[in-house]
Amino acid sequence: MRLLFFSTSYPNPLQPRIGSFNHSLIQALAEDHWVRVVAPIPWTSELAITRRTGRRMPDGRMSYAGGVPAVHPRFYYFPRLMPSQLARTMEWSCAPCLDQQIQAFRPDAVVSYWADPDGRVALDAARRHSLPAITMSGGSDVLVLARGGQRRTAIFSVLKESDAVIAVSQDIANVVISGGVQPEKVTVVRRGVDRAVFTPGNRLEARHRLGIDPTRKMFLFVGRLVPVKGLSTLIEAADQLRRQGVDFACYVCGEGSLRARLESQVRSRGLERSIYFSGSQPQEQLVDWYRAADFTVLPSLSEGIPNVLMESMCCETPFVASNVGGIPEIADPNHDQLVPVGNSESWAEALKQQLLRPCSRTERIFRPMTWTDSAAQLARVAERLTAQPMQSLLPLTQPAKDQTHATTAVTTDGCKVIAETT
């Protein structure tokens, strides 16, 4: 099959780690299918990174992360613009490039991640070219942004009009269906884990490689430093633990808009010797952080099914996490603890219990699947759609994959068009 993926949540030369879960899925899809990516970059992000680092997008605005060609048009918008207008500005900025890619690549279906504005632009492009549209929801678009107002209307309009909706958890699927989307359109496809990377390992050896005290109890946060991750609650709970005389080390692996504020909160509470900010970590090193930790923490206010927790359990590291979204679907009471959202007292107690809890030797109830499994499930959804009459409006001849190669041409707007030729 030929699948075109559209989303701002995908790695680019300026932000190589953004949307890593989507990149893993696309790489797995590309093992058996032709896949091309259009991944817009907000102009504000591009400008900020260029000013800070001096790095610029290459001519043609293309990348080949993992060997999959991707084009990165610039997404212009006004920072203070009403959220309901984001789809219009993304359409104006990115639709010409998206149309060019569709015309050159001739996909069987268009897949997008994030319902609005990404899903709206992808859906409209699919309709212009008589293609089926698949919209993926990862969590916050449906669980947070769609709680009310015009944004909810925009998000559910996209989901209702899409030919198929992919939810990464049953919880998200239930919310989507309760919002009026036909149940037969909705499929749960959980994210996968790179099981070749995230494997169990010796804790002391991992701590030695990371330079961490081998005797001190330690827990780990991995993720973006943004409001929805609930790190202020974690810091408050850590302060309560320290006041109770509990010794621990908490390592925070990630970057984000709240880093300076969170570091200030740690200093103001005198927690500099208990909470350490280690920055963003590559996957090949992140695995040692999971192995080194006694447990992983995730105090999020909203989640789908977090890759962080699935990676942690693949390394045989339990977790303490908010009782929210799809997390209860993967938690195991023999290993993990679920905590009420935003309650620092409950978090302090759960952390204390987990620090004292002996390691469980029982098998987990839930085991994450691989990215190959996840990609196969998504491909089956696309295959069902392409078998429907809509596809007959755009007849394609599928060449043998080993007889094709990618060619590119630069368009007037600076983006390269990717096409397959025999």
Side-chain angles (χ1 to χ4, degrees), residues 84-140:
S84 60
Q85 300 301 310
L86 283 174
R88 289 188 179 184
T89 57
M90 180 176 277
E91 182 88 20
W92 174 80
S93 302
C94 305
C97 183
L98 182 55
D99 285 337
Q100 290 161 0
Q101 300 302 325
I102 291 175
Q103 290 165 2
F105 179 52
R106 300 179 304 157
D108 294 298
V110 176
V111 183
S112 63
Y113 177 82
W114 202 255
D116 178 73
D118 309 50
R120 168 50 62 190
V121 174
L123 173 62
D124 289 348
R127 292 292 178 260
R128 287 194 296 274
H129 296 272
S130 300
L131 294 169
I134 302 170
T135 303
M136 299 173 62
S137 173
S140 293

Side-chain angles (χ1 to χ4, degrees), residues 31-51:
E31 293 176 3
D32 297 305
H33 307 277
W34 293 283
V35 185
R36 295 296 178 266
V37 175
V38 179
I41 304 175
W43 73 272
T44 50
S45 299
E46 187 171 340
L47 179 62
I49 294 170
T50 299
R51 282 180 171 176

Side-chain angles (χ1 to χ4, degrees), residues 168 189-196 198-200 290 305-317 319 327 329-332 336 363-375 377:
V168 301
V189 178
R190 292 191 173 93
R191 291 172 180 159
V193 175
D194 188 340
R195 300 284 287 271
F198 295 101
T199 60
Y290 290 125
I305 289 188
N307 276 59
V308 165
L309 300 185
M310 294 197 294
E311 292 167 354
S312 180
M313 66 174 67
C314 284
C315 296
E316 295 187 352
T317 302
F319 63 79
I327 295 177
E329 299 173 30
I330 64 173
D332 187 328
D336 316 309
E363 281 289 322
R364 278 190 167 272
I365 298 171
F366 174 87
R367 296 291 294 175
M369 62 183 174
T370 66
W371 281 113
T372 299
D373 296 332
S374 184
Q377 291 184 12

Side-chain angles (χ1 to χ4, degrees), residues 246-302:
V246 179
D247 183 49
F248 64 90
C250 171
Y251 286 86
V252 177
C253 293
E255 293 288 352
S257 59
L258 291 186
R259 175 161 180 168
R261 187 184 304 176
L262 293 168
E263 288 178 327
S264 177
Q265 186 180 354
V266 166
R267 287 193 300 270
S268 68
R269 294 176 179 269
L271 292 168
E272 300 97 319
R273 296 185 179 181
S274 297
I275 299 180
Y276 306 90
F277 290 84
S278 301
S280 183
Q281 302 290 321
Q283 281 199 336
E284 58 271 17
Q285 191 160 341
L286 188 57
V287 63
D288 264 345
W289 285 98
Y290 290 125
R291 292 168 177 168
D294 291 283
F295 56 93
T296 301
V297 295
L298 193 63
S300 298
L301 309 181
S302 175

Side-chain angles (χ1 to χ4, degrees), residues 221 224-227 229-236 252 262 299:
F221 170 89
R224 294 175 300 135
L225 310 188
V226 293
K229 295 301 181 181
L231 280 162
S232 290
T233 300
L234 180 64
I235 293 172
E236 291 173 8
V252 177
L262 293 168

Side-chain angles (χ1 to χ4, degrees), residues 113-116 135-147 155 159 172:
Y113 177 82
W114 202 255
D116 178 73
T135 303
M136 299 173 62
S137 173
S140 293
D141 51 350
V142 170
L143 301 177
V144 177
L145 299 179
R147 286 176 177 170
I155 288 170
L159 298 176
I172 293 175

